[in-house]
């Protein structure tokens, strides 16, 4: 005799497995942060980060992770040294507390990722992911830099993907 299994049971099991694995991105709420001074925008997960106060120069915002260990910084700047995108990547990577393990440089954007040592909550080394997008004339740059614990990599990979896809170039010539 064939036994009938209700469809709800396997669906409930699949949902429990996904939630147990920390399936990122499914339940997060996102908001669009827009910076009027530099004219860039980025999506930010409000369930994972709390926005700090605006700095006096209004170039961006810091977002502290609700987990107490992650951090997201978003800012715009002038390319005051008039560096090429490659030169800017070199400039950002030139930090004795940073080990770059992933680097991509294109005509108007760059990504650096790897490990950063520092005085972090919980101690130790953190993964960092930095993206910078340039205006068409390379005069201004929008950035985000996120740091998080190595153990949270699987949790934050989809978050990094959305941050990276949503960061817009700053207004410029």
């Amino acid at each position: 005799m064939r036994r009938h299994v209700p469809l709800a049971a396997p669906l409930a099991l699949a949902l429990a497995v996904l939630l147990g694995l920390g399936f990122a991105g499914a339940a997060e709420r996102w908001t669009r942060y827009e910076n009027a001074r530099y004219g860039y925008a980025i999506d930010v997960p409000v369930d994972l980060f709390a926005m700090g106060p605006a700095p006096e120069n209004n170039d961006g915002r810091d977002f502290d992770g609700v987990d107490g260990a992650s951090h997201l910084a978003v800012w715009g700047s002038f390319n005051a040294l008039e560096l090429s995108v490659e030169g800017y990547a070199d400039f950002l990577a030139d930090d004795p507390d940073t080990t770059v393990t992933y680097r991509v440089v294109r005509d108007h954007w760059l990504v650096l990722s790897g490990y950063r040592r520092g005085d972090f909550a919980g101690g130790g080394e953190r993964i960092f992911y930095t993206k910078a997008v340039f205006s068409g004339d390379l005069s201004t740059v929008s950035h985000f830099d996120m740091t998080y614990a190595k153990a949270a990599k699987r949790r934050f990979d989809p978050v990094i993907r959305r941050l990276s896809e949503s960061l817009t170039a700053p207004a410029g010539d």
Side-chain angles (χ1 to χ4, degrees):
M1 174 178 223
R2 192 169 178 188
R3 191 175 161 162
H4 176 52
V5 177
L7 183 58
L11 289 176
L13 178 61
L15 181 61
V17 168
L18 287 175
L19 291 175
L21 293 175
F23 181 69
E28 283 138 16
R29 292 176 302 129
W30 292 76
T31 190
R32 189 95 171 138
Y33 168 74
E34 296 179 353
N35 182 274
R37 179 178 178 197
Y38 286 98
Y40 68 88
I42 188 170
D43 295 344
V44 177
V46 296
D47 294 331
L48 299 178
F49 292 97
M51 184 167 63
E56 283 187 37
N57 68 359
N58 196 33
D59 65 346
R61 291 291 178 101
D62 282 317
F63 298 83
D64 291 320
V66 297
D67 63 0
S70 56
H71 182 261
L72 172 65
V74 178
W75 74 100
S77 68
F78 293 106
N79 183 4
L81 300 176
E82 298 180 355
L83 297 171
S84 66
V85 180
E86 184 76 39
Y88 202 79
D90 292 341
F91 174 76
L92 291 176
D94 186 24
D95 178 350
D97 291 328
T98 297
T99 302
V100 175
T101 60
Y102 179 78
R103 176 183 174 127
V104 176
V105 177
R106 298 293 185 258
D107 289 343
H108 287 92
W109 61 270
L110 66 89
V111 169
L112 299 174
S113 186
Y115 302 100
R116 186 173 292 146
R117 293 167 297 285
D119 187 22
F120 298 109
E125 199 172 60
R126 296 281 188 260
I127 294 174
F128 81 91
Y129 188 99
T130 301
K131 183 169 185 178
V133 181
F134 291 74
S135 60
D137 66 357
L138 304 182
S139 66
T140 54
V141 190
S142 57
H143 315 74
F144 82 81
D145 180 86
M146 187 170 155
T147 56
Y148 52 97
K150 290 178 183 179
K153 181 181 183 324
R154 185 173 178 174
R155 172 74 181 105
F156 282 114
D157 278 351
V159 173
I160 291 291
R161 189 175 309 111
R162 174 124 177 221
L163 290 167
S164 188
E165 290 170 354
S166 70
L167 179 65
T168 64
D173 296 335

